[in-house]
Amino acid sequence: MTSQIDIYRTAKLMIDQHGAGAWIECATKHREHVANGDEEGAAVWLRVADAIATMDDMEASGVVH
């Protein structure tokens, strides 16, 4: 199982590398894992996508400076 801190670290890296397209990259990676029958890997990318959404919400509300 991937730890929550690793999920948020990956989300931060995705945002840094892909900016507004980070969520799309997560969706692409999720689909690749689903196509390969890797349910655990697919679940990780869903968690990363959720973390990106949470981080975006926090930034929009001014929690993150």
Side-chain angles (χ1 to χ4, degrees), residues 2-22:
T2 305
S3 71
Q4 194 68 4
I5 190 70
D6 288 336
I7 294 295
Y8 275 87
R9 285 180 180 147
T10 302
K12 173 75 168 107
L13 287 171
M14 295 296 286
I15 292 167
D16 290 347
Q17 292 175 358
H18 301 286

Side-chain angles (χ1 to χ4, degrees), residues 8 12 54-65:
Y8 275 87
K12 173 75 168 107
T54 299
M55 293 167 77
D56 284 346
D57 288 347
M58 290 172 68
E59 186 175 336
S61 68
V63 174
V64 177
H65 301 270

Side-chain angles (χ1 to χ4, degrees), residues 34-45:
V34 168
N36 292 324
D38 180 6
E39 293 178 21
E40 186 176 333
V44 166
W45 285 105

Side-chain angles (χ1 to χ4, degrees), residues 29-49:
K29 291 185 180 296
H30 174 263
R31 282 192 304 274
E32 289 170 359
H33 285 274
V34 168
N36 292 324
D38 180 6
E39 293 178 21
E40 186 176 333
V44 166
W45 285 105
L46 285 178
R47 290 176 62 200
V48 173

